[in-house]
Amino acid sequence: MVIRNEHHSCREQNIFGDKIYKTFAELSEANEKALVAESTDNVLTAIDHVENHLKSVIEENIIKPASEEYELTKAQTKRLIKESQKELETKIEKIKGDFKQQRKIAKVKHEEAVRRATTEREMDDAEETLRQEIEMAMKGVNDAIKEATDEIINNKPKEVIERIEKDKEERRKDNVEDEVRTHLRGFTRTIPSFIMAYDDGSLSLDSFDKNIEDDVFKEVTSITLDEFRFLRDGGDYVNATTGRKEHFDGHLFDEVVFDDAIVEFRKKRQDLANYFDESQTEDIFDYIPPQKTNQIFTPKWVVKKMVDMLEEENPHIFEDPEMTFADLYMKSGLYITEIVRRLFNNVEMRRQIPDDRERILHILRHQVYGFAPTRIIYLIATRYILGFDPSLQPKQSNFRQVDTVPYAKEGRMEELIEQEFSSVHSS
């Protein structure tokens, strides 16, 4: 069935009328004023307020009226609300992430300009450049929020109706293959992440589902492993329209292409595993596309600048075998690897611990610590940090899979660190 736009337009008018557009126009204006009034220090809080306001308006002014019109169940309504909120959260998180990244880079560049400045004029230029770049970042936030709000005003009512109509039609035809195909959009983009996290040298299409946890697979791809197996291997299913058992042959994936892609990425990962090699201009994260989870890897050059600044503040920081370093929210492990590399190569560290093997084990067991928020990020980060030596295992280091955000919000980070690493400190 093809649903015509004229039908949607008429249905929109019947459900929402003109009032909704007035409500959103007022909201857009209010959001813009709120963000303009904020300073860089509390702009993230202002964005959170805008997000909560948008969620409330979408639920009360779009989804609930549409739900009543179509007589949806509570579960269906709840799912629509959850999906809309998740979609909005993803957009807002990207806006916040972009702002924080721009602000971080601006500050790193500012510190470098200040360090290099030799005259008062150069110092003034550095301050003015920082002000301009922060101002541009703030403008980017305003523009992005306005764009997101305008998109909701113009598209969300129609999207909700189309979604409800589409769900009704899909329930009528219940074509299993087509339904799962919609969830597989962008699936190929997730393959490098899975290879980085789970490949032990034997991963293939045939074994792709063997070691990956179901909840991790669904979080990243939006389908379950059983659905993946059904698409790969085929099987019987009951056609809800006819009530008859039918058979799907599977073979949705080209095995040769799939396995070749795994081999190619595996070779690239091995080629770039030795992050002690200063001649390398790339790292493996140049070959992992951004995921829907919005896990943005900090660029390697920014990581180096951050560690340079750390060393400038304390020139002897990498000479002390008792000094400890932590990344409380690892995404890739790049920050930790830069710390490990500088500790390992430090002249004084070499003098105190001459044996290379003993020195690297000391660093991993006693000097670097980290938390990763999810299972797949934990595996990616630890495999990258320890990947230069296949004999090293995560148990030989101090990295944990813990989402530290709730602990940070509740002021319990010290409690978490003590809980996870007290035995390390006492050993």
Side-chain angles (χ1 to χ4, degrees):
M1 180 181 75
V2 178
I3 303 172
R4 299 175 58 203
N5 291 334
E6 293 88 338
H7 169 72
H8 284 153
S9 179
C10 180
R11 201 69 184 258
E12 283 179 53
Q13 187 64 31
N14 290 339
I15 297 173
F16 306 115
D18 295 326
K19 183 180 178 182
I20 187 174
Y21 300 102
K22 181 180 178 183
T23 299
F24 271 109
E26 293 170 351
L27 173 64
S28 181
E29 184 179 353
N31 286 345
E32 189 171 354
K33 288 180 179 178
L35 286 166
V36 167
E38 294 297 333
S39 69
T40 182
D41 293 331
N42 53 8
V43 67
L44 297 176
T45 302
I47 295 174
D48 288 337
H49 290 160
V50 169
E51 177 184 351
N52 291 333
H53 198 180
L54 283 170
K55 283 181 179 179
S56 176
V57 171
I58 291 171
E59 179 177 343
E60 296 297 328
N61 295 72
I62 297 180
I63 293 178
K64 286 188 176 178
S67 176
E68 292 173 3
E69 173 71 16
Y70 283 93
E71 298 180 344
L72 301 183
T73 64
K74 287 184 179 180
Q76 290 170 329
T77 303
K78 186 176 180 180
R79 189 190 71 199
L80 271 177
I81 293 172
K82 185 176 180 180
E83 289 174 351
S84 295
Q85 289 182 342
K86 186 67 176 176
E87 178 186 352
L88 179 61
E89 287 169 3
T90 300
K91 290 180 180 178
I92 296 298
E93 279 303 311
K94 185 179 187 307
I95 292 171
K96 290 168 69 175
D98 288 347
F99 173 73
K100 287 189 283 189
Q101 187 83 323
Q102 289 179 51
R103 185 173 62 179
K104 181 190 297 183
I105 291 172
K107 288 182 177 179
V108 169
K109 290 166 64 178
H110 173 257
E111 293 290 342
E112 177 67 11
V114 168
R115 187 181 70 80
R116 292 177 177 274
T118 57
T119 66
E120 186 175 343
R121 175 63 181 274
E122 289 176 342
M123 289 289 292
D124 290 342
D125 288 346
E127 295 299 327
E128 176 62 19
T129 300
L130 176 63
R131 186 194 66 76
Q132 290 178 1
E133 293 193 357
I134 294 295
E135 188 176 285
M136 287 177 60
M138 290 280 289
K139 183 179 184 301
V141 169
N142 278 279
D143 292 345
I145 289 290
K146 186 177 187 306
E147 181 181 343
T149 305
D150 289 347
E151 185 179 351
I152 291 171
I153 295 171
N154 296 322
N155 300 327
K156 182 56 69 174
K158 179 181 176 181
E159 286 177 5
V160 169
I161 291 175
E162 287 180 344
R163 178 57 191 268
I164 293 172
E165 294 276 9
K166 182 180 179 182
D167 284 351
K168 286 173 63 179
E169 179 63 18
E170 286 184 347
R171 283 195 298 273
R172 280 196 292 269
K173 67 180 183 179
D174 196 34
N175 187 315
V176 177
E177 180 183 351
D178 286 346
E179 183 178 348
V180 179
R181 275 180 186 272
T182 63
H183 291 295
L184 277 174
R185 290 172 185 168
F187 172 72
T188 54
R189 294 176 64 83
T190 69
I191 294 176
S193 291
F194 284 120
I195 304 171
M196 185 68 186
Y198 291 95
D199 180 34
D200 60 359
S202 62
L203 190 68
S204 65
L205 177 61
D206 185 56
S207 65
F208 201 73
D209 56 322
K210 295 297 190 295
N211 298 320
I212 299 172
E213 299 88 347
D214 200 356
D215 58 337
V216 175
F217 191 83
K218 186 169 185 179
E219 177 189 359
V220 177
T221 68
S222 78
I223 68 168
T224 67
L225 280 171
D226 282 341
E227 289 170 325
F228 169 78
R229 294 182 187 108
F230 181 79
L231 295 174
R232 181 190 62 188
D233 307 329
D236 295 333
Y237 67 97
V238 175
N239 186 315
T241 302
T242 63
R244 297 176 180 175
K245 181 181 286 189
E246 298 184 12
H247 183 78
F248 171 61
D249 290 335
H251 307 299
L252 190 64
F253 308 102
D254 186 317
E255 184 174 3
V256 174
V257 173
F258 199 101
D259 288 350
D260 282 350
I262 292 175
V263 171
E264 183 177 347
F265 183 88
R266 180 187 299 143
K267 184 178 185 305
K268 183 61 68 174
R269 186 187 70 191
Q270 292 168 347
D271 290 344
L272 299 174
N274 183 15
Y275 52 82
F276 295 98
D277 183 355
E278 293 282 3
S279 67
Q280 288 185 357
T281 59
E282 299 178 311
D283 60 72
I284 192 60
F285 299 102
D286 294 328
Y287 296 88
I288 301 180
Q291 306 299 304
K292 294 188 297 182
T293 53
N294 199 39
Q295 295 289 353
I296 302 172
F297 302 128
T298 304
K300 194 170 186 176
W301 73 268
V302 173
V303 169
K304 286 180 174 291
K305 282 290 185 183
M306 291 166 62
V307 180
D308 285 342
M309 291 168 61
L310 191 65
E311 190 167 16
E312 286 168 11
E313 292 177 7
N314 185 346
H316 304 289
I317 195 169
F318 297 117
E319 298 177 359
D320 186 356
E322 301 301 318
M323 185 68 69
T324 57
F325 305 82
D327 186 343
L328 302 181
Y329 200 84
M330 295 193 302
K331 292 183 179 179
S332 62
L334 279 165
Y335 179 74
I336 291 292
T337 59
E338 185 63 19
I339 296 290
V340 170
R341 191 179 63 79
R342 298 200 189 193
L343 286 168
F344 183 80
N345 290 330
N346 184 271
V347 174
E348 180 61 21
M349 283 284 290
R350 285 180 176 273
R351 186 189 69 78
Q352 295 189 55
I353 312 176
D355 183 79
D356 287 353
R357 180 70 177 179
E358 182 182 348
R359 188 165 67 260
I360 192 64
L361 289 178
H362 173 85
I363 292 168
L364 294 172
R365 289 171 177 169
H366 302 290
Q367 292 193 262
V368 289
Y369 300 79
F371 293 104
T374 65
R375 175 66 175 165
I376 194 164
I377 292 298
Y378 170 79
L379 292 173
I380 288 173
T382 53
R383 286 206 166 197
Y384 181 63
I385 295 167
L386 307 175
F388 67 92
D389 184 345
S391 70
L392 294 174
Q393 300 297 323
K395 65 183 179 182
Q396 295 174 297
S397 56
N398 301 305
F399 305 116
R400 305 287 188 268
Q401 181 193 327
V402 179
D403 185 352
T404 56
V405 171
Y407 292 90
K409 287 182 177 179
E410 297 167 10
R412 297 169 54 215
M413 281 302 301
E414 288 188 14
E415 175 188 332
L416 174 64
I417 291 170
E418 179 66 20
Q419 171 187 312
E420 293 293 336
F421 301 123
S422 59
S423 61
V424 177
H425 296 156
S426 61
S427 62

